[in-house]
Amino acid sequence: MSNNRGRGLQANALGTFDTVVMAVAGSAPAYSLAATTAVLVGAVGLASPAALLYCAIPMLGIALAFSYLGRIDVNAGASYSWVGRTLHPFLGFISGWALVISTTIFMVAGSLPAGSMTLAVFDEDLADNTALSTLVGAGWFLVMLLVVLGGARLTVRAQLVMSGVELVILALFAVLALLHADNARAFDWSWLGFGHFDGVTGFASGALIAAFYYWGWDVTSNLSEETRNSRRTTGLAGLIGVGIVFLLFEVFTIAVNVILSSKQIQDNDANVLAVLGAEVWPGWGGKLLIVAVMLSTIATLETTLIQVTRSLFAMGRDRTMPAALGRVHRRWNTPWVAIAVVGVVALGMFVAANSLGTVGEILSDAISAIGLQIAVYYGLTGIAVVVAYRRMLLKSVSNFVLGGVWPLFGALFMFWIFVESLSELSTSAITIGIGGLAVGLIPMLWYWRQGSDYYRPAKLDAAEAVEADYVPAGRVGTRSDTDSLVHEGLPTDF
């Protein structure tokens, strides 16, 4: 079972509901609101709801790209496989590497708040201690590492509990915020317009941060080899996930604009949500939302671990990274070598991050750097779907709009905010973002010279793709037999 040819991931472990939960958890609504709202407000002020609204439209285009590509190529590497087989293997590798680097940076950016939120439940003052937050966050990270190692079913059970409690608390506070009477300012429809942005560059920097809010729903595509009827399920779950978190993000950023003063937001840059909770429900409110953020952060650590380990698994299987990364555990059917490597690297980064500064400072640079990397692999995937479906786009209006125009708009938007925001970002954010991508050129060129088959791909063309799921080796069945079965021997459809 421990081989490098794609066998071993646990087929049919997840259903539709499971994957929707994973998509929502991947975007981490409570964590994104708590950790990123102050960064977003700092960049665009009262235009926060507008930045999230205008980023949601192209983001849906990218979700459509993942949905359409997932129908014709089931691969744990997702955009790494799709971009490599449509545009160029070098671009495919950079897509996969962008995800690997952004998720690895997030291990630190996510674990620090997990630690500080856990401490804040017991003592507010302890939450400001970076060293202690790092230690507790690393503890949570190791727990999630073991859960992910234990298999897809264990992972989704843990996710149902954490995300279920988180979403109930957020829904309760969304209602309480709407009923809240003591407001810092009155609601203004202009918050959803372009008037509050500081020019085009200001809009781009806000959109880049908004991209980080949404990022993570595409974990469903990395789980495609472990999902029932994955050609339909993973893409649909991603679209539903984006829709749900969009509504939550809009409600809460509008509530922050209405209820909190600029000073309150600035003074609580590492967790705006706790302050909002204390305002709408004095006493218990802050604590409950801290619990929601803590659960959300731990939950998204889990989905991020899935994304990075499944991507590294696909790369190891294709021998574009060390082949050992493609090994699967005999009992748990998980890529245990990739999980172990990610664990060691992330723990090393925790130690390094501890010497960099406060939780708020680390988050600000990390979020901007991750935003650049997200823009790269989302943008390339948006282009890839247009190329893969080029011969199918004129066959129906839905193909033309949903598989062509909208994803293309999403891709162009991602590349535009990447370029525009460079002039606004700090040197450290650009160094982390661009430097992290540049490091990927080393393994890419090394394994290209080694002659990996990934660099001689079978082109992905929707017009030629077989519209049926895999049939396990040695078995021939009817369409009903094959809807949810994964081939034991091949990593893709060809």
Side-chain angles (χ1 to χ4, degrees):
M1 187 75 76
S2 294
N3 57 70
N4 305 307
R5 293 190 59 77
R7 299 183 182 91
L9 291 181
Q10 190 175 10
N12 307 322
L14 308 178
T16 305
F17 179 72
D18 300 329
T19 45
V20 170
V21 169
M22 295 302 272
V24 174
S27 291
Y31 164 78
S32 298
L33 288 162
T36 321
T37 300
V39 182
L40 185 61
V41 171
V44 297
L46 293 172
S48 301
L52 288 162
L53 170 64
Y54 297 120
C55 192
I57 298 165
M59 190 59 75
L60 275 171
I62 302 301
L64 284 164
F66 273 77
S67 177
Y68 271 74
L69 287 165
R71 294 177 192 178
I72 56 173
D73 181 16
V74 176
N75 192 297
S79 60
Y80 155 79
S81 171
W82 303 331
V83 174
R85 293 179 60 192
T86 51
L87 305 182
H88 193 280
F90 284 1
L91 292 175
F93 184 88
I94 291 298
S95 290
W97 185 257
L99 188 148
V100 167
I101 290 294
S102 56
T103 47
T104 305
I105 295 169
F106 181 79
M107 299 303 171
V108 178
S111 296
L112 284 172
S116 62
M117 292 302 122
T118 306
L119 293 168
V121 172
F122 304 101
D123 185 343
E124 291 283 345
D125 295 330
L126 284 176
D128 295 326
N129 186 323
T130 306
L132 199 55
S133 294
T134 305
L135 190 64
V136 176
W140 278 122
F141 172 78
L142 287 172
V143 171
M144 288 301 103
L145 201 73
L146 293 173
V147 169
V148 170
L149 182 64
R153 285 201 176 98
L154 176 62
T155 302
V156 83
R157 281 177 193 143
Q159 198 60 259
L160 285 168
V161 173
M162 293 185 290
S163 295
V165 174
E166 173 202 354
L167 291 173
V168 167
I169 294 173
L170 285 179
L172 170 65
F173 277 87
V175 174
L176 290 175
L178 289 171
L179 300 175
H180 187 69
D182 185 17
N183 298 331
R185 55 182 76 81
F187 171 76
D188 190 334
W189 282 105
S190 71
W191 297 344
L192 295 169
F194 289 97
H196 291 283
F197 290 108
D198 182 19
V200 172
T201 311
F203 173 75
S205 60
L208 188 77
I209 297 162
F212 176 81
Y213 271 84
Y214 292 107
W215 175 57
W217 52 265
D218 50 306
V219 65
T220 59
S221 295
N222 297 108
L223 284 165
S224 60
E225 294 183 33
E226 297 154 88
T227 304
R228 287 192 295 279
N229 193 16
S230 64
R231 293 177 189 280
R232 184 188 69 87
T233 303
T234 54
L236 179 64
L239 287 162
I240 293 170
V242 172
I244 291 171
V245 296
F246 164 70
L247 292 173
L248 286 169
F249 291 156
E250 283 297 327
V251 167
F252 276 90
T253 45
I254 289 170
V256 165
N257 273 7
V258 169
I259 295 166
L260 300 184
S261 67
S262 301
K263 188 175 187 308
Q264 282 176 301
I265 297 166
Q266 198 173 349
D267 291 347
N268 298 276
D269 57 351
N271 189 9
V272 170
L273 216 53
V275 188
L276 182 70
E279 283 285 328
V280 300
W281 187 357
W284 276 97
K287 290 282 187 195
L288 269 178
L289 274 180
I290 286 171
V291 170
V293 175
M294 181 186 79
L295 289 171
S296 177
T297 312
I298 297 163
T300 199
L301 275 179
E302 186 190 77
T303 57
T304 309
L305 274 167
I306 287 170
Q307 283 198 282
V308 68
T309 55
R310 296 314 187 265
S311 296
L312 287 172
F313 164 76
M315 290 171 152
R317 180 172 63 188
D318 291 342
R319 287 182 170 79
T320 57
M321 290 283 277
L325 294 170
R327 288 185 186 150
V328 177
H329 195 279
R330 290 179 179 276
R331 180 178 175 188
W332 297 318
N333 303 100
T334 50
W336 67 273
V337 177
I339 292 168
V341 168
V342 167
V344 171
V345 171
L347 289 172
M349 289 177 66
F350 291 143
V351 176
N354 194 40
S355 62
L356 293 178
T358 66
V359 175
E361 287 166 358
I362 293 167
L363 281 176
S364 180
D365 283 342
I367 287 163
S368 298
I370 291 170
L372 290 173
Q373 291 154 357
I374 295 164
V376 168
Y377 88 87
Y378 276 178
L380 287 171
T381 309
I383 300 289
V385 74
V386 178
V387 174
Y389 277 83
R390 64 193 179 282
R391 291 198 280 164
M392 307 273 290
L393 294 179
L394 298 179
K395 295 198 172 180
S396 72
V397 174
S398 66
N399 271 8
F400 182 71
V401 175
L402 304 181
V405 175
W406 204 340
L408 182 61
F409 166 67
L412 295 176
F413 184 84
M414 291 296 158
F415 292 136
W416 176 74
I417 61 174
F418 178 93
V419 174
E420 278 290 328
S421 61
L422 287 176
S423 61
E424 291 283 296
L425 297 180
S426 68
T427 306
S428 55
I430 293 173
T431 304
I432 297 167
I434 306 294
L437 289 174
V439 170
L441 297 176
I442 299 167
M444 182 182 81
L445 294 172
W446 172 261
Y447 285 99
W448 171 61
R449 292 290 301 274
Q450 298 296 308
S452 165
D453 286 345
Y454 174 82
Y455 294 104
R456 298 186 297 276
K459 285 294 182 184
L460 191 59
D461 188 336
E464 295 175 0
V466 180
E467 291 287 346
D469 269 356
Y470 303 127
V471 181
R475 173 174 174 179
V476 177
T478 63
R479 171 71 192 168
S480 61
D481 290 331
T482 62
D483 268 347
S484 60
L485 294 168
V486 179
H487 193 291
E488 289 287 338
L490 294 174
T492 66
D493 301 72
F494 289 83

